[in-house]
Amino acid sequence: MRSLTVSAESWPLHSPFTISRGSRTAADVVTVTLEEANDIGRGECVPYRRYGETIEGVVTSIQRLEAEVAAGLDHEALANVLPPGAARNALDCALWDLEAKRTGRRVWDLAGLETPRHITTAFTISLETPDAMETAARAEAARPLLKLKLGGTDDVERVRHVRTAAPGARLIVDANEAWRPDDVAARLQALAGLGVELVEQPLPASEDEVLDRVPHAVPICADESCHTSADVASLAGRYDYVNIKLDKTGGLTEALRLVGAAHTHNMGIMVGCMMGTSLGIAPALLVAAAAEYVDLDAPLWLAEDRTQSLQYAGSVVAPAGPAVWG
C-alpha cells in the first residue's frame, strides 16, 4: 500500500528577491512524500500566481489523488488526471524518487540519461535601481554567468551599470513580460552592444507574435510562453530558445519530452527554476545536461536550505546525492 503526505512549507530568503511582478522574502513550496513499505520518495513544487496557482489549491489538487496514489498511480496515469503545472511536478518527481529508492537505481539510469556531471549555473541579480544592481553585481563579479532581472524604463541603464561592475562575466537578462512591442527592437540592439547573450520573455505571452517581425539582435528565450512539448512547434522561429521549468511542464517526465521537441525544432534550451529548495532543483539538474544555459541558483538565495541539500562551489553545482533526491 502506498501512502501520500502533502505539506506546505516556507523557506526564508537571505534577502528580498524582486522581478517585474513583485518581490518575495521566502520560498513557499509544497512537498509531496510517497511511502511504500520502507521506501520513501519526495518531490517539491512552487505554485505560481502568474499561472493561477496557489499553495492551498495545489495542496488540495494533490490530496484529491490519495486513492489513485494508493492504487499505484504512475507517470502516464498522472498526466491524465492532473494538468501541467506545480501539483503534477511534485507528484511526478516523488514517483521518480520512490522508484529509485525501491529499485536501488538512480533516476538518471531509470530514465536512460547520461551520468550527471557538475553544472555551472547562472547567478541572478534581483531587479533594483541601476546603482543597486551595479553594487550587487560587483559583489558577484567573479561568477562566470550573471542573470539580470529587468522590467522597467531603465533596463538598458541597469545592464550598462552591471557591465561596468562585472566586465568579465557573461550576461543574460529576463524581462518577465515587462517590455512593450515598441520597446523591443531598440532594447535588443542596445543590449547586443553590451554583450548580453540571451533575453528571456521580453513581451507578455499574449503579445509575443510581435517577435515574428522584430530582428533578433540578441537571441530570445520563451519562458512564460512555453510550458510543455505541445507549445514548441508554434514558437519555432519566433523564439530561439525555450526555458524548461519543471513547475511549468508538470515534472521531469514532460520536461524530458520538451527537450526532445526543442531539438526537433532546432531550438536551444535553457533550464530554469522557481524559488525553491534543493529538493525541487535536483530533478532539473538531469535536464540541465541538455541545456546551453542553466539557471538553477534558487538554493543560493535561501537563508537555510534543507538538511540534505545540493552542494554548490561558487556557481558550480554537483549532481544530487541519493539522500537529496533520485
Side-chain angles (χ1 to χ4, degrees):
M1 189 74 161
R2 185 182 296 170
S3 65
L4 166 70
T5 304
V6 189
S7 60
E9 302 170 354
S10 187
W11 296 80
L13 307 184
H14 57 67
S15 56
F17 183 80
T18 303
I19 68 172
S20 63
R21 283 188 286 269
S23 297
R24 64 181 60 194
T25 58
D28 297 317
V29 308
V30 173
T31 302
V32 166
T33 303
L34 302 177
E35 188 168 358
E36 186 171 352
N38 294 319
D39 298 309
I40 295 175
R42 298 183 304 148
E44 176 187 291
C45 69
V46 181
Y48 199 38
R49 289 191 180 276
R50 167 64 178 81
Y51 305 131
E53 298 172 334
T54 64
I55 293 287
E56 297 79 9
V58 165
V59 168
T60 298
S61 294
I62 297 171
Q63 289 175 333
R64 286 174 178 163
L65 297 179
E66 186 173 8
E68 287 88 342
V69 169
L73 183 75
D74 61 14
H75 300 289
E76 183 177 354
L78 175 61
N80 291 325
V81 295
L82 277 181
R88 196 167 96 187
N89 177 30
L91 263 172
D92 184 73
C93 290
L95 286 169
W96 279 110
D97 191 35
L98 180 63
E99 185 178 359
K101 300 303 191 291
R102 293 186 65 222
T103 62
R105 297 167 62 190
R106 299 304 307 275
V107 168
W108 55 264
D109 185 34
L110 294 169
L113 303 174
E114 295 182 1
T115 304
R117 53 184 171 80
H118 287 64
I119 295 288
T120 298
T121 177
F123 183 82
T124 305
I125 304 297
S126 179
L127 176 64
E128 296 288 350
T129 65
D131 286 341
M133 292 182 72
E134 178 178 343
T135 299
R138 184 168 288 110
E140 307 295 344
R143 294 185 184 271
L145 180 63
L146 297 179
K147 174 176 172 175
L148 317 182
K149 287 292 187 179
L150 303 180
T153 57
D154 296 328
D155 280 349
V156 173
E157 194 63 20
R158 288 183 170 96
V159 177
R160 186 173 290 113
H161 277 238
V162 168
R163 174 53 76 203
T164 298
R170 298 164 57 209
L171 301 183
I172 58 179
V173 305
D174 184 4
N176 285 116
E177 303 182 283
W179 292 1
R180 293 296 174 259
D182 56 356
D183 296 328
V184 175
R187 288 187 179 185
L188 289 176
Q189 191 63 51
L191 296 188
L194 291 168
V196 171
E197 297 183 15
L198 189 72
V199 174
E200 278 187 74
Q201 198 71 41
L203 295 173
S206 61
E207 300 178 22
D208 67 359
E209 73 282 354
V210 171
L211 299 176
D212 295 337
R213 306 184 295 275
V214 172
H216 293 199
V218 179
I220 304 173
C221 180
D223 184 358
E224 286 85 349
S225 290
C226 184
H227 291 243
T228 71
S229 57
D231 298 324
V232 174
S234 65
L235 300 175
R238 177 172 298 173
Y239 287 95
D240 307 291
Y241 287 77
V242 294
N243 188 342
I244 300 176
K245 293 178 180 175
L246 272 62
D247 278 310
K248 294 187 300 177
T249 65
L252 178 63
T253 304
E254 177 59 24
L256 295 175
R257 293 193 185 103
L258 181 47
V259 168
H263 286 160
T264 296
H265 290 276
N266 297 313
M267 299 182 75
I269 293 171
M270 179 179 190
V271 173
C273 62
M274 307 301 187
M275 189 59 73
T277 77
S278 284
L279 177 59
I281 301 302
L285 286 174
L286 299 185
V287 186
E292 290 86 358
Y293 293 95
V294 177
D295 176 27
L296 298 176
D297 65 335
L300 299 178
W301 280 84
L302 300 177
E304 184 177 359
D305 200 354
R306 296 183 185 275
T307 302
Q308 299 293 336
S309 60
L310 294 171
Q311 298 303 303
Y312 288 80
S315 292
V316 177
V317 56
V324 178
W325 180 86

